[in-house]
Amino acid sequence: MRTWPARALVPFLLVPLTAAPSASAQTDARTCARASLLFCEDFQAMPLGGASSLRWGIDTKHGTLTVEPGGRRGQKVLRVHTEGNGRAFLKVDDFAAPGNSFYGRVRLRVAAFPAAPDWAHYTLVEATGDGPEIVRPLGGQYAPPPHGGAAYWGVGADGGPTGDWTNWRTTAPSVAGAWTCVEWRMDAADNRVSLWFDGVAKPELTVSTREHGGNPVDFVFPRFDTVKVGWQLYQANPSPAGFDVWMDDIALSSRRVGC
């Protein structure tokens, strides 16, 4: 599905589902110790305040990243705050996945999604590398009436031959105020992006080489070397004027991590 009038200025075999989200920091610590993980951050060992680490970088403009309490059972979480059409990302550099394919997992809670302007477009996960496509496995868009009058999740891309698109679906509303576990898979075999929400697959959001929301050409992954997790909005003067996202248990892996 093509994005409508607004242009975003910057959008196999599966491992069996794991158990429901853990209820303790101890379980999360074991998750970050898994040998198959390519990257993991649960923020429990970090001091409160401005977020920084020798293991990952920061990409911000009109935005901040802070570590604060407020997660499940009082755990520390990453608070992502932006003003207007700003951005704030935790940035995993020098990333390499076997076969250029990987899984991701993040728990998140968004205070509010944009309700204006029409077609306001947001990104929470972005993957880039050697190649023109900017791949956004988790993002979305506000679709005004008569297209629903709500914000919806979607996979997207920009910067490459397929153009600027967000493959949103009305069956995948972006719901604010609640913790959600989001998983995604990048499968280079057919340039496929797949999504799960709280362990439930959303096949209607899947995109691949020939099935996507852009120009009628092949969608081809870059050679991934950077993954960013956070928030970016692309249109000026949005409503609300600022955005807050809380994130926890960020993991990138050669195998599915699960929730």
Side-chain angles (χ1 to χ4, degrees), residues 64-88:
T64 59
L65 299 176
T66 55
V67 176
E68 60 182 43
R72 297 164 303 126
R73 299 185 182 272
Q75 294 182 51
K76 297 176 185 176
V77 295
L78 180 70
R79 180 187 178 187
V80 181
H81 175 76
T82 64
E83 294 290 332
N85 59 342
R87 68 177 185 268

Side-chain angles (χ1 to χ4, degrees), residues 204-224:
E204 68 271 33
L205 296 177
T206 299
V207 304
S208 60
T209 306
R210 298 293 180 89
E211 299 293 330
H212 53 79
N215 298 325
V217 297
D218 286 357
F219 170 58
V220 179
F221 287 170
R223 186 71 184 179
F224 295 119

Side-chain angles (χ1 to χ4, degrees), residues 15 43 55 62 74-75 116 119 129 153 199 218 253 255:
V15 177
F43 307 102
R55 298 187 303 107
H62 304 304
Q75 294 182 51
W119 310 111
W153 293 118
D218 286 357
S253 177
R255 302 180 62 188

